[in-house]
Amino acid sequence: MTSLDHQVLGPAFAQTPYDHPFRVELRAWLAEHPVDPEPLDQDARFRHRRDWHRTMAGNGWVGLHWPVEHGGRGVDPLTQFMYYEEVALAATPEPVNTPGLILLGPTLMAHGSAELKARFLPGILSGDEMWCQGFSEPDSGSDLASLRTRAELVGDEWIVNGQKIWTTFAQYADYCFVLCRTEAGSERHRGLTLLICPVDQDGVTVRPIRQISGDNEFSEVFLDDARVPKDWVVGEVGQGWSAAMTLFQFERGDQGYTDHARMLVHLLDCEDALRVAEADGTLTVDRAADARRVQRDLWVRIQELRHLNYRGAVLAKAGQELGAVGSMTNLVWGELEKDLGSAFADASGARSLVLGRHDTHARLASRAASIYSGTSEIQRNIIAERLLGLPK
Amino acid sequence: MITEPLTTADELEIRDVVVDFTRTTFTSERVRAAALTPRGYDEVAWKQMVDLGWTGLGIAEDVGGAGLGAIVQCLVHRELGARLAPTPFLGSAGFGAAALDVLVDDDEAAHGLLAAVVDGTVQCALALGHGRGWPGHESPSITAQPVDDGWTVTGSAALVLDAARADVVLVVAALEEGGWRLFQVAASATTPTPVPLLTVDVTRTYADLLFDHTPATPIGASSVTSDRVSLLVDQIAVYLAAEMVGVAIACTNQTLDYLRTRHQFGKPLGSFQALKHRCADVAVAVTVAQELVFSAATLIEADDFTSLALAAPLALARAGEVMLHATQEAIQLHGGVGFTDEVDIGLYYKRALGDLELIASPVDAYARMDLVRTGKTS
């Protein structure tokens, strides 16, 4: 489809100009590859995203930050920044397989054996194999090192037993990377191992959890004598914590990083909805005026997120620590996502109570944004203690 | 505490020099003492700044400046704001110099004035004939009249920054046939001669200016459009916003120091989560406001005036809101002592109140931003 004008993004940045050759190339490709809007039904939505991922991957437009030897383009963070802006302006489906693409893939490149890299990296990139993350457990959330899922080597296989939770899109995944205890009697960070566990087997039961939005995006995963080939270990046996720490490095701030342009495009939908509701009398004059003020504030806040993302990309390109930016991005993104979801619904007044509408769904779904990947309250603690040096 | 948008080694080196000088020079005692002097600012420090070349940092090299551009200019505004430095830097080397640069194409008189601003022989102030904010559809508050042997200007400008002690007032006056022109008026020729206004902000001087067929010398060969005047306002808005960020950062840092050291209930105040979260919110707000300001400065350097038209009011509005929030939080988080004149927190709050009125309030800046966004500026 034809991309929206760059004007939607706001003022240009010096290092990512709107006439940059990368943008021109990507826009031209996007113009030749139209894609339908996202469906509301969760299963259909996931398939839609997965199919689009495969279309893009087939043309070399996925995993651009991956090194060339692993099928990426080795682009720098500022190019990534432009990439996310352009795909949002073309209203493409949201990224899928991010646990593989953002987290496990780069971790495999750092810690994995040559055999594992050759076996799994191509499928992550192409989208032929989908991934989920098996870290959190019912009694081990923020305190991950207390996890109790265990694996025992029996012959040529690991036999895994335990329970994982909050596993996003486990029901669509082919593989789960599972952090588990492989040394009996070990405690905390010691004796852990990162295993690659096939999901489609008798020993793995996925029970999706229903959310207030009606979706069931995350699941409980029960591991009852689940089997994993002996060599499917990321890094060394017993060194799982180190592999997990590598993986977490890739997670920081990524959600916000990818999202400001999608939010700006979404805000256009909110503005359209408000115009319609005003014209047909759905909203009172006072309520419409308030909604307009809220939408303007949102535009400003998205610009702030965008500026944080840009700073993050500039720092990352220079090889500097994200420091302040990474923690702040999470907080700003989560609060913004919620208010954007609410504004979308508010723009249509009472109609946004009716099920089957995007705005109805967006308002409910967005409530999670300031909870997952660290609540806003945890983020504020981190900012206050680590950045501002306030005492514990 | 927060990110530093300056990146090049040169910028960081200049920053360190500027921070070093402002820290040692503009101590609380000296800032307060300057307010009690007849000129209302620190003349010794101002002369040092001129000698060090600060007045010319952002001004082109061919008129005696260093030609370092808007980012360095903003860095100086930020650091002077952080110390509440009582100097005419913003009015003269900021607003005045910008008017001479933006509104006038290659003109000898303008170059002469710029050189005099750089070397400190002239201190100027800027009176905008459209009133505050960006030029709109309101009738102008200062007009120019051709007379036999030249020009006069008539009208008024309220609370003009650094005008009380200026040698020259630069007046942007409306022409009868439409458009605007920049004029030079000897401060002594205004009626009456400007007197300093006493405001809540003792670290600044303001004056009301009245022009009644006051003789004025045009600068530059021709008139300019409202768009050009808007570009001037964009530019000085970014300078002011840089100062605002400096005010916000400094009072937040003082507050954090206080929360780390002051103990109650046997532990530092800063260990209480309710206070931590308020500080975190201020820190995030200040960080993003600073990013908005310095990316707008980058647009000035890149001559990307289309993007600047949007970025400048955004930066001014957000920096203004954040500065006000930060200074108000600073008082509250200091508790009773924050309300006393024994600490400088109140001075920061009062500087914030002044800065918010200088060009455009956040509400007015957002209104301008909306006009630009929706393409309704003309």
Side-chain angles (χ1 to χ4, degrees), chain A residues 96-265:
Chain A
V96 79
N97 213 18
T98 47
L101 207 55
I102 307 288
L103 301 178
L104 188 78
T107 306
L108 260 185
M109 292 173 208
H111 291 287
S113 65
E115 291 74 21
L116 287 186
K117 286 185 212 175
R119 165 65 187 82
F120 289 112
L121 290 178
I124 292 174
L125 206 56
S126 67
D128 289 337
E129 291 173 343
M130 292 285 145
W131 287 75
C132 63
Q133 174 178 2
F135 277 22
S136 293
E137 297 181 4
D139 291 325
S140 305
S142 301
D143 182 15
L144 183 62
S146 66
L147 65 85
R148 289 188 303 206
T149 295
R150 64 196 187 281
E152 193 184 350
L153 192 59
V154 179
D156 283 345
E157 286 181 322
W158 294 96
I159 305 298
V160 190
N161 281 283
Q163 185 190 344
K164 296 291 176 180
I165 195 168
W166 311 126
T167 310
T168 302
F169 292 143
Q171 67 270 52
Y172 308 121
D174 301 294
Y175 296 96
C176 181
F177 45 95
V178 174
L179 191 60
C180 54
R181 207 162 281 290
T182 46
E183 260 174 49
S186 69
E187 283 185 6
R188 306 298 298 166
H189 314 90
R190 285 177 291 276
L192 299 175
T193 299
L194 186 58
L195 296 179
I196 294 174
C197 179
V199 175
D200 185 16
Q201 60 168 305
D202 289 344
V204 177
T205 309
V206 174
R207 190 187 78 82
I209 301 172
R210 191 171 160 84
Q211 304 157 212
I212 62 169
S213 58
D215 292 333
N216 41 28
E217 293 177 315
F218 36 75
S219 298
E220 290 177 288
V221 178
F222 299 95
L223 303 158
D224 302 302
D225 290 338
R227 289 159 191 278
V228 169
K230 181 184 174 189
D231 296 332
W232 287 14
V233 175
V234 183
E236 303 292 318
V237 173
Q239 300 297 316
W241 189 255
S242 158
M245 287 303 106
T246 301
L247 189 139
F248 281 133
Q249 276 175 28
F250 299 113
E251 186 171 36
R252 210 171 15 173
D254 190 76
Q255 182 77 64
Y257 189 65
T258 62
D259 252 15
H260 65 258
R262 186 189 61 74
M263 287 175 159
L264 285 164
V265 172

Side-chain angles (χ1 to χ4, degrees), chain A residues 296 304 380-381 385 388, chain B residues 260 276-277 281 318 370:
Chain A
R296 205 267 308 283
E304 295 185 335
R380 289 190 178 97
N381 284 349
E385 288 164 14
L388 307 182
Chain B
R260 288 185 205 108
K276 273 184 192 169
H277 285 193
D281 285 339
R318 196 63 194 122
D370 285 342

